[in-house]
Amino acid sequence: MDIEERLRADDRLEPVSRTEVMQYWLANEVEDESDAPDPDGLPTEPGLREELVDRKPIAGRVFGAEEAGWYRTELSVDELRDLRVVVGPESEGWRALADDGRIGTVAKRIREADDATEFDAKAEEDFEEVASLADDIEASGTNGRLVVVEEGDDPAYVADGNHRAVAQVLSLLRDEANDGETDEKREIYFGVRPGATARS
C-alpha cells in the first residue's frame, strides 16, 4: 500500500479546520520576524491567508478556490521518506537533487555528500540550512508538524517547507547510522484536494 492509499484509509485521521493549518504554518514562518503578526490574532481567514501567501507563495495554491479537506495524522519514517518535495518544474530546485522527487532521496544525497560545494550555489545554501535544522532537531528533540497535500492522483507532497522535511529525514538517517532502525512517527497536517478522497 502506498502512502496515499494508507492515508486515505486511515481510521485515525482527525479532521481539523484549514484555519488551524494556516495559523500553524504562519506561526512557523514568522517565528524569527520582529513585529510579526500574531497568527491566532488575525481577525479573518482571508487576512491569515494573505499574510501566509506573502511569505510562502505556494500557500496560494494550497489554500486556493478548490478547498481541501484537512486532517491531522502520523507518518512512519518510511512514509515520511516517500513524500515528494514541493511541486514545481522538473529538474529545478529541490527536484534537481532527486530524480524521483522524494524527500528521503534528497536527505540521503545531503548526508552522503562530503561538503556543500558538491552542489550549485543555491543548493549549497539549502544544504547548509537543512544541516543546521537537523542539528536543531537533534539538540531539542522536537520536529514540529509538516503540511502535506494530495491533489487528485498525484503523489502527496510537502507544502510548507522542504527544508524542514528534509532536515527531519536527515536527522533520522543520522540516528539510524548510530542506533539502527527507528519506529518513530511524525505528525502531519494532511490536505486532500478535489479528486482525492479520505475517510473521516
Side-chain angles (χ1 to χ4, degrees):
M1 178 183 292
D2 64 24
I3 183 173
E4 291 80 18
E5 291 175 336
R6 205 283 292 169
L7 286 170
R8 287 196 296 268
D10 192 344
D11 289 322
R12 298 167 300 167
L13 288 178
E14 176 188 346
V16 298
S17 70
R18 79 180 210 156
T19 297
E20 176 181 329
V21 180
M22 283 193 280
Q23 287 173 331
Y24 179 83
W25 188 351
L26 181 59
N28 278 335
E29 297 303 327
V30 303
E31 63 181 353
D32 295 325
E33 292 183 16
S34 59
D35 300 321
D38 175 9
D40 295 330
L42 290 169
T44 65
E45 187 177 279
L48 185 61
R49 181 181 182 276
E50 181 179 356
E51 292 285 352
L52 183 55
V53 172
D54 282 348
R55 292 163 175 82
K56 284 288 185 178
I58 186 65
R61 172 175 175 154
V62 174
F63 301 108
E66 293 183 307
E67 291 196 16
W70 286 99
Y71 307 87
R72 185 165 42 225
T73 189
E74 292 180 327
L75 295 182
S76 69
V77 171
D78 286 341
E79 289 168 337
L80 178 64
R81 287 173 170 152
D82 197 43
L83 291 174
R84 298 326 196 259
V85 296
V86 70
V87 292
E90 294 293 331
S91 301
E92 289 185 16
W94 290 91
R95 290 158 301 284
L97 295 178
D99 292 340
D100 59 8
R102 286 178 167 82
I103 294 291
T105 303
V106 178
K108 185 177 180 181
R109 280 206 63 193
I110 292 174
R111 184 175 182 276
E112 292 177 348
D114 290 331
D115 58 61
T117 59
E118 292 189 17
F119 304 106
D120 62 30
K122 179 62 172 69
E124 180 178 344
E125 176 185 330
D126 291 331
F127 174 105
E128 292 169 348
E129 182 172 350
V130 166
S132 177
L133 286 170
D135 291 342
D136 291 344
I137 289 170
E138 292 166 19
S140 66
T142 59
N143 48 68
R145 300 185 189 109
L146 298 173
V147 178
V148 176
V149 179
E150 179 185 358
E151 299 176 336
D153 295 327
D154 294 333
Y157 67 90
V158 176
D160 66 325
N162 291 319
H163 292 84
R164 283 193 289 269
V166 175
Q168 287 195 33
V169 175
L170 180 58
S171 70
L172 290 167
L173 290 175
R174 291 171 176 173
D175 286 345
E176 288 179 357
N178 295 327
D179 304 318
E181 293 294 323
T182 177
D183 59 358
E184 283 190 66
K185 301 286 187 181
R186 290 292 190 265
E187 195 169 77
I188 65 166
Y189 285 119
F190 178 48
V192 183
R193 296 290 298 277
T197 58
R199 180 184 300 176
S200 59

